[in-house]
Amino acid sequence: MSRSARLLQLIEILRAHRRPVAGTVLAAELGISLRSLYRDVATLQGDGVPIAGEAGVGYVLGPGLTLPPLNFDVDELDAVVLGLRLVEKRLPNGLGDDAGRALAKIEAVLPKGRSAADVHLLVGAPATGSAAVLDTIRKAIRTEDALVIAYRDRNGDASERIVWPIVVGFFDAAEMVATWCEMRGDFRHFRLDRIERIGLAGRPMERRHRMLLAEWRLYREARDTG
């Protein structure tokens, strides 16, 4: 992460808190040393960002930092907040934490008199798969790496596969990952909560992800219309 991106992230973290945050907490969240945090705070203060506090006490973002309001209409705000609440509830770690921070950012820039708390739509879908499994799949998709998984099917039969992850789907009962399975030489789908072990296979996929995605979509269309 560049230092400019880190400074922006520091502002966003402070914006999400109403009370002073200890320097050690901020440094840990940013993945930097306490000394680097002190330098970053000093830089932002020198640029006019209203950060109050000091080393050993904690830091809080004061009034005076303004951003243009987000002018969602009622239905748009309902949709955005509901979607983020769903991710936060369904994936309590990883993406769920990101959704919570995104919701706090939206709350901070809504016009005066409007609040995400006014959206009376609740989410009750629990998480079914492992957040660590999902994070590994997401990273492998981004880097186009093959994965090795230990899987137990609905009959209790265990197998180990090398797969090329394509896309993750979220359904009422479970999360599913669509893959190209080397053992079967075809597309296969696996429930995340039945993956007992997952890791990188140590080599890239043999086809680019965008090609796999296009082929998988054609495969799904053929099955749906067949």
Side-chain angles (χ1 to χ4, degrees):
M1 181 190 300
S2 67
R3 186 163 188 255
S4 59
R6 192 174 77 224
L7 293 175
L8 289 173
Q9 187 176 354
L10 175 55
I11 292 174
E12 295 300 342
I13 293 171
L14 289 172
R15 182 182 285 121
H17 292 82
R18 302 289 185 184
R19 297 183 178 181
V21 186
T24 52
V25 174
L26 294 171
E29 189 160 351
L30 292 166
I32 60 176
S33 68
L34 199 54
R35 180 173 295 182
S36 294
L37 174 76
Y38 293 153
R39 285 199 297 265
D40 287 353
V41 169
T43 297
L44 290 172
Q45 288 173 329
D47 289 340
V49 178
I51 298 176
E54 58 184 77
V57 176
Y59 298 95
V60 65
L61 190 64
L65 184 67
T66 59
L67 292 173
L70 291 176
N71 291 310
F72 293 114
D73 65 28
V74 172
D75 292 332
E76 289 171 342
L77 185 59
D78 280 358
V80 170
V81 172
L82 180 61
L84 290 171
R85 284 177 179 170
L86 177 61
V87 175
E88 191 174 21
K89 179 74 173 182
R90 187 100 183 227
L91 306 169
N93 300 306
L95 275 180
D97 294 336
D98 296 329
R101 286 193 292 272
L103 193 56
K105 290 179 183 179
I106 290 173
E107 181 76 39
V109 293
L110 287 174
K112 187 176 180 180
R114 301 194 67 194
S115 171
D118 297 330
V119 178
H120 303 299
L121 299 173
L122 302 180
V123 175
T128 59
S130 163
V133 169
L134 177 60
D135 285 345
T136 301
I137 293 170
R138 291 175 57 229
K139 290 174 184 175
I141 289 174
R142 288 198 298 266
T143 57
E144 299 188 338
D145 283 317
L147 291 170
V148 57
I149 63 172
Y151 190 75
R152 192 170 297 275
D153 66 20
R154 62 184 177 182
N155 297 319
D157 297 327
S159 63
E160 187 168 291
R161 319 281 188 102
I162 294 179
V163 300
W164 309 343
I166 301 169
V167 66
V168 177
F170 296 84
F171 304 96
D172 289 342
E175 294 90 40
M176 305 280 292
V177 58
T179 74
W180 175 266
C181 176
E182 291 189 1
M183 184 172 76
R184 298 300 185 190
D186 202 353
F187 294 107
R188 288 292 185 270
H189 301 82
F190 301 95
R191 283 178 55 144
L192 268 59
D193 59 340
R194 292 179 181 159
I195 296 176
E196 299 183 333
R197 189 177 66 257
I198 189 169
L200 296 176
R203 55 183 172 83
M205 303 178 188
E206 295 178 16
R207 294 205 294 280
R208 299 301 303 271
H209 179 262
R210 65 174 180 271
M211 295 176 61
L212 280 172
L213 180 60
E215 292 168 5
W216 174 77
R217 284 172 172 163
L218 290 174
Y219 164 83
R220 290 293 298 174
E221 289 174 6
R223 286 191 57 181
D224 291 343
T225 57

